[in-house]
Amino acid sequence: MTASSYNPPCGGLPPQTALMTGRAVFTEAYAVIPKGVMSDIVTSVLPFWDGTRAWILSRPLSGFSETFAQYLMEVAPGGGSDRPEPDARAEGVLFVVGGHAALVLDGTTHDLRPGSYAYLPSGCAWTLRNRGAEPARFHWIRKTYEPVPGIDVPPAFVSHDSEVDPLAMKDTNGVWATTRFVAPDDVRHDMHVNIVTLQPGASIPFEETHVMEHGLFVLEGKAVYRLNRDWVEVEAGDFMWLRAFCPQACYAGGPGPFRYLLYKNVNRHPSLTFHRVAR
């Protein structure tokens, strides 16, 4: 992967001559936020983040995806935060798609570059600063960690897309593979953030229908995705947000690989009592 392959830059505004018709959709089962609507006017500024704007792509909504929030962050040169995480219960994953950032994690500095992946357990100490000459862009996925008595909290770690070999799905000849930064059977983790790669012409050949919620950000390529009752075209820079049990499948359109960053909640019993997390 080259740095430019992870996703095209976002922001700006379309010209006044542009048509308003687009691909954005929000339904009872899924949402598609295409790259074309990630404009300057929908960004947020965050407390204790300097020189930073964020596209908040998902947040817990009752009756929809309830477990996570996902941001696409853009930190200007010199910007960043010494108090990034406001909730001590929140765990996080950072995945860098552009520029460089210095992550100080439990006293150790890590130079993050496109393809870098950092897992941040709840309660850990971290800061992030852009000491480069261009904006740093990264995904920040946050989830309230669900502790289990007798099971340790997982440790922090930093990895890179190039350091993890994708694992092919069974009987696919490697055309459908997943880059797993955490072992699937490691029950310390209650969420997975992986990269799924489908080669041109490959497919997810059945409608997955399951309890896990999803955030899918397309890093490279294009595909036709089956979401509930609809077929939707998606490409690099688009985001899909799927509630639990939303049927899903896809065909990779080519001419190059189709890759997306995938969030899902895993490894915990479903709560039998509905309750809102206190804030």
Side-chain angles (χ1 to χ4, degrees):
M1 290 287 292
T2 63
S4 61
S5 298
Y6 282 107
N7 79 290
C10 51
L13 288 171
Q16 289 290 293
T17 54
L19 295 176
M20 287 183 289
T21 303
R23 296 179 292 117
V25 62
F26 189 95
T27 76
E28 78 281 0
Y30 72 89
V32 176
I33 303 176
K35 64 179 182 179
V37 303
M38 296 183 201
S39 68
D40 292 343
I41 63 173
V42 298
T43 57
S44 298
V45 294
L46 301 173
F48 308 113
W49 282 85
D50 305 320
T52 300
R53 59 180 183 170
W55 287 266
I56 299 179
L57 303 174
S58 69
R59 49 153 289 188
L61 289 177
S62 179
F64 202 72
S65 291
E66 298 180 338
T67 61
F68 76 109
Q70 183 162 344
Y71 308 40
L72 178 55
M73 304 284 286
E74 183 179 82
V75 181
S81 179
D82 298 324
R83 298 172 60 183
E85 176 54 72
D87 189 343
R89 303 167 302 166
E91 61 186 330
V93 164
L94 308 180
F95 183 78
V96 180
V97 294
H100 289 255
L103 170 69
V104 179
L105 181 57
D106 292 330
T108 301
T109 300
H110 303 269
D111 178 26
L112 304 184
R113 64 192 196 279
S116 289
Y117 180 109
Y119 174 71
L120 310 167
S122 57
C124 77
W126 64 282
T127 66
L128 185 140
R129 288 282 167 186
N130 180 1
R131 311 216 181 273
E134 60 179 302
R137 295 184 178 92
F138 57 91
H139 288 271
W140 182 14
I141 297 171
R142 302 172 62 233
K143 179 183 181 297
T144 299
Y145 183 67
E146 300 174 55
V148 176
I151 296 177
D152 293 335
V153 175
F157 69 88
V158 176
S159 186
H160 192 273
D161 184 16
S162 64
E163 298 172 356
V164 182
D165 292 329
L167 298 176
M169 298 295 287
K170 185 178 179 181
D171 299 326
T172 66
N173 272 339
V175 299
W176 174 13
T178 302
T179 303
R180 301 183 185 275
F181 295 93
V182 170
D185 60 353
D186 186 343
V187 295
R188 296 176 300 176
H189 288 273
D190 65 354
M191 74 170 176
H192 289 163
V193 180
N194 301 323
I195 296 175
V196 176
T197 302
L198 293 167
Q199 298 301 323
S203 68
I204 298 176
F206 66 103
E207 294 182 337
E208 296 184 40
T209 307
H210 51 62
V211 70
M212 285 84 78
E213 299 172 351
H214 278 336
L216 299 91
F217 191 93
V218 182
L219 301 171
E220 182 182 6
K222 59 188 177 71
V224 181
Y225 233 94
R226 177 74 174 185
L227 297 173
N228 200 18
R229 307 177 187 90
D230 308 316
W231 285 101
V232 178
E233 288 186 292
V234 293
E235 63 178 345
D238 293 349
F239 179 72
M240 291 170 278
W241 190 14
L242 281 59
R243 66 170 294 171
F245 301 110
C246 175
Q248 57 200 267
C250 82
Y251 286 101
F258 175 63
R259 304 188 86 210
Y260 55 86
L261 187 71
L262 172 70
Y263 160 88
K264 60 181 176 181
N265 52 312
V266 296
N267 298 345
R268 292 295 184 267
H269 289 288
S271 173
L272 300 183
T273 303
F274 178 79
H275 63 277
R276 296 184 183 275
V277 176
R279 296 189 181 279

